Amino acid sequence: MIPPMQTAPLLRIRGLKTQFALREGLVRAVDGVDLDAHAGKTLCIVGESGSGKSMIARSILQIVSPPGRVTDGEMVFQRTGREPVDLAKLDPAGKPVRAIRGRDIAMIFQEPMNSLSPVHSIGDQLIEKILLHHRLSRHAAIDRAVEALGRVGIPDPRQRLSNYPFELSGGMRQRVMIAMALACRPALLIADEPTTALDVTTQANILDLIAELQAEYGMGVIFITHDLGVVAEIAHEVAVVYLGQVVERGSVDDIFYNPQHPYTLALLSSIPKLGARRKRGQRLHSIKGMVPHPFNRPKGCPFHTRCPEARPGLCNLEDPRKLELNEGHIVACHMRDPAVLTQAAEVTV
Amino acid sequence: MLAFIARRIVYMLVTLVAISVMTFFIIQLPPGDYVTAMVAQLNLQGTTVDPAEMAALRARYGLDDPLPVQYWKWISNIVFAGDFGFSLQWRRPVADLLWNRLGLTFVLALVTLLFIWAISLPIGIYTAVRKNTVGDYLATFIGVIGLAIPNFLFALVLMYISFKYFDTGIGGLFSPEYENAPWSLGKLLDLGSHLIIPTIVLGTSGTAALIRILRANLLDELAKPYVTTARAYGVSERKLLLKYPVRVALNPFISTVGWVLPTLVSGATITAVVLNLPMTGPLLLQALISQDMYLAGSFIMMLSALTVVGTLLSDLLLAWLDPRIRYT
Ligand SMILES: Nc1ncnc2c1ncn2[C@@H]1O[C@H](COP(=O)(O)OP(=O)(O)O)[C@@H](O)[C@H]1O
Ligand SMILES: [Mg+2]
């Protein structure tokens, strides 16, 4: 068992809700999420696409696009030498949250193609962000940009400043994004599927780079992915999300060696295992059914429509509680709830 | 960048040569020539013209030469001597008629362009940022009306209003006392006050169209990931809007440089007639009807040249603004 964390988490999220009030109805993109991210550690958020991973990331920085907004919950962020701040309480357009964006919490995105302005040079965009958060001369800002570009392994960084994004490859662009994130030495780095759009070799390079920089600067990292192979490689902690809820979270060992939630089990059985000889005719499992449309969100446990263990009359009616199986390993499933199971045993006896 | 400019200039010259040939060819297309048109006119008035006299006239104007020779005479005089020939109908050098009208048309085009930009930039940004609010709907409504009202009707209405309530003169570009006066501050102010109505009439539909284009482009740009990136790095909302998407959404603005002049020339003829503006449109129409070939040809040639130069200018501006164009 992992010893309990002594210090308060860098970012502690409780009951986070992010909703879109549309004419067609309310979309609950994030629905009561609890997460902890620690300094120097990597928290991986996994889930199918559309499960709300990006919305969690955007909620942290209060950059959910309208009409979406953070409606409930708290996100307490510890800043070195200063009072902790609840990000959920900050005005999305206000100065306090802008001072945190990019400075204390930096984010890199999935689309290295479009995440940089096509009509401004790399240097222009990097230096702008540095000057926004630091009282530096332009000259010093340029040096800092060059240093950051060099640090992420971009050759001839000073020459690159005058390049435009379309002159660089996808991998190079993602390195520029990482350089931008690093330039202000953030305490927390949020990476939203940063390698999804890249080829496998580039992906490995980028993952190595992030791990290396994390070790060097002691950053906390929240890494969003739908690739369990990546999770196994880099995560310390894992949170599995489904339809805007965390259905299971725990240490990487908890999730891979002692998975509890039926959805986690289904995800794990859908990854091919290299070298494991499959029996004749045995196929990879895919999770049956589709992610429900957010407007027809199922009542009760969100996964019950696709869950092989779902019990009618319970799972489709009542929300499961968040059950702490052991220190830090939390699962939200009726079928793992001792109270439910003993009750059921009494009924059948 | 230099190579880009050089290439564009070569294209421009080729285009101009092609236009000059086309222009000359088209002017010659209608049956007959200036002399036949003139004789028909005289016949209507009851005067008969002696065929020998017609032949003499033809010979004097060089109308019997083969077409390539006529073309070469015409174009070489323009290019090498700046001589646009002689207007058969007005019995004056074409250049006299040309520069005056062309100058005023050009001034009007410029003022209209500035009017279109000044109105549509702020409104376009406003409607995009305040999408689906009362202000947005109001701007859309007014814009659609602006597009739908025919210009000549709009011109008549505005003339009526200005005559009735502001007691300004109707039509023309100058009040009678300044008509033939030399240039002075008073004349300039007088011209300015006369330009208001034509500018509004000619600029409204362009403004309405540009507002819609800017709004659509801006909404597109605002949803792009790079805007989210900038926001995620603490860039303020105002700067986010002005530094990034407006910059990209500005492209159609630059393109207007290329199309305002031709639309003014071809689309504004009726308005110019209604408002009695000494612009190119009415004169060109007349020259074409009477087959006054040098006048018509020179007009078309100069307007085409201005349009091509305008397009070149807007392309260069675009390339300067958007590096992606520069390098491809
Ligand atoms: N602009 C929007 N309007 C309405 N709903 C949205 C909008 N953006 C996202 N959502 C909702 O949020 C859900 C989660 O999206 P997202 O966080 O991007 O998923 P992921 O990153 O896990 O693929 C989507 O399924 C969608 O229902
Ligand atoms: Mg996503």
Side-chain angles (χ1 to χ4, degrees), chain B residues 94-225:
Chain B
V94 167
D96 285 3
L97 297 161
L98 190 70
W99 291 121
N100 207 353
R101 300 254 168 168
L102 214 52
L104 287 171
T105 304
F106 195 70
V107 166
L108 195 55
L110 205 66
V111 173
T112 306
L113 190 66
L114 293 178
F115 172 83
I116 291 178
W117 282 355
I119 306 278
S120 52
L121 183 65
I123 296 185
I125 293 177
Y126 176 86
T127 54
V129 177
R130 298 262 177 276
K131 179 178 65 159
N132 298 342
T133 58
V134 177
D136 179 24
Y137 291 139
L138 194 71
T140 306
F141 179 70
I142 295 176
V144 168
I145 290 193
L147 271 175
I149 295 183
N151 276 352
F152 73 90
L153 188 67
F154 196 27
L156 287 174
V157 170
L158 284 186
M159 276 207 298
Y160 177 76
I161 292 175
S162 85
F163 178 69
K164 184 116 197 238
Y165 298 101
F166 298 102
D167 195 29
T168 47
I170 297 184
L173 277 182
F174 300 101
S175 309
E177 62 266 35
Y178 286 112
E179 190 76 65
N180 293 313
W183 282 102
S184 64
L185 188 64
K187 184 165 178 172
L188 209 61
L189 289 178
D190 185 58
L191 175 67
S193 73
H194 278 84
L195 277 179
I196 294 174
I197 289 181
T199 305
I200 295 177
V201 171
L202 297 172
T204 300
S205 61
T207 308
L210 204 55
I211 288 176
R212 301 309 292 171
I213 295 172
L214 184 61
R215 180 181 183 273
N217 276 10
L218 209 49
L219 285 177
D220 261 11
E221 287 303 319
L222 283 172
K224 294 252 170 93

Side-chain angles (χ1 to χ4, degrees), chain A residues 100-348:
Chain A
I100 292 172
R101 291 177 192 156
R103 172 70 192 88
D104 299 304
I105 306 177
M107 186 155 167
I108 52 184
F109 296 87
Q110 176 173 346
E111 307 89 354
M113 299 298 281
N114 307 320
S115 292
L116 293 164
S117 162
V119 296
H120 296 88
S121 68
I122 308 284
D124 184 341
Q125 300 185 56
L126 263 171
I127 290 160
E128 175 188 37
K129 271 83 201 191
I130 295 170
L131 288 177
L132 211 57
H133 295 297
H134 299 277
R135 295 172 148 274
L136 288 176
S137 69
R138 208 180 148 73
H139 207 78
I142 292 175
D143 286 344
R144 194 150 179 173
V146 170
E147 184 198 320
L149 287 177
R151 184 63 199 81
V152 298
I154 289 180
D156 303 327
R158 203 166 281 275
Q159 276 73 54
R160 290 291 86 76
L161 288 182
S162 56
N163 279 152
Y164 288 91
F166 64 88
E167 297 176 277
L168 304 181
S169 68
M172 277 299 153
R173 257 179 267 189
Q174 201 56 291
R175 281 176 197 265
V176 171
M177 284 300 294
I178 297 175
M180 196 147 124
L182 288 177
C184 293
R185 300 282 159 77
L188 179 63
L189 175 70
I190 303 174
D192 187 356
E193 309 210 27
T195 57
T196 304
L198 304 176
D199 62 77
V200 188
T201 325
T202 317
Q203 167 170 339
N205 291 338
I206 297 284
L207 291 180
D208 287 348
L209 177 64
I210 292 177
E212 204 179 294
L213 295 165
Q214 177 180 31
E216 191 174 326
Y217 301 130
M219 285 184 300
V221 172
I222 296 179
F223 196 100
I224 295 172
T225 179
H226 58 249
D227 184 343
L228 282 167
V230 172
V231 176
E233 205 172 307
I234 62 170
H236 299 100
E237 319 256 321
V238 182
V240 181
V241 291
Y242 186 79
L243 268 188
Q245 299 187 352
V246 175
V247 294
E248 180 166 10
R249 67 189 170 101
S251 70
V252 66
D253 289 348
D254 289 336
I255 299 298
F256 280 91
Y257 297 114
N258 184 24
Q260 289 299 321
H261 197 283
Y263 181 60
T264 314
L265 293 166
L267 276 184
L268 286 170
S269 68
S270 68
I271 41 172
K273 289 190 186 60
L274 212 62
R277 302 245 336 244
R278 264 181 276 144
K279 280 191 239 118
R280 259 176 70 94
Q282 188 190 341
R283 311 173 73 203
L284 270 176
H285 289 280
S286 62
I287 307 171
K288 66 167 192 198
M290 302 253 295
V291 186
H293 192 274
F295 289 129
N296 320 315
R297 207 193 160 76
K299 206 168 157 358
C301 171
F303 190 55
H304 84 257
T305 53
R306 302 165 74 189
C307 180
E309 301 178 41
R311 179 186 298 172
L314 175 66
C315 295
N316 57 347
L317 295 177
E318 281 173 46
D319 290 347
R321 49 185 192 125
K322 291 164 184 165
L323 210 62
E324 184 150 19
L325 298 177
N326 54 49
E327 182 78 49
H329 186 186
I330 292 152
V331 64
C333 177
H334 287 303
M335 306 319 291
R336 303 291 179 269
D337 190 338
V340 169
L341 294 176
T342 49
Q343 220 175 32
E346 278 161 20
V347 172
T348 45

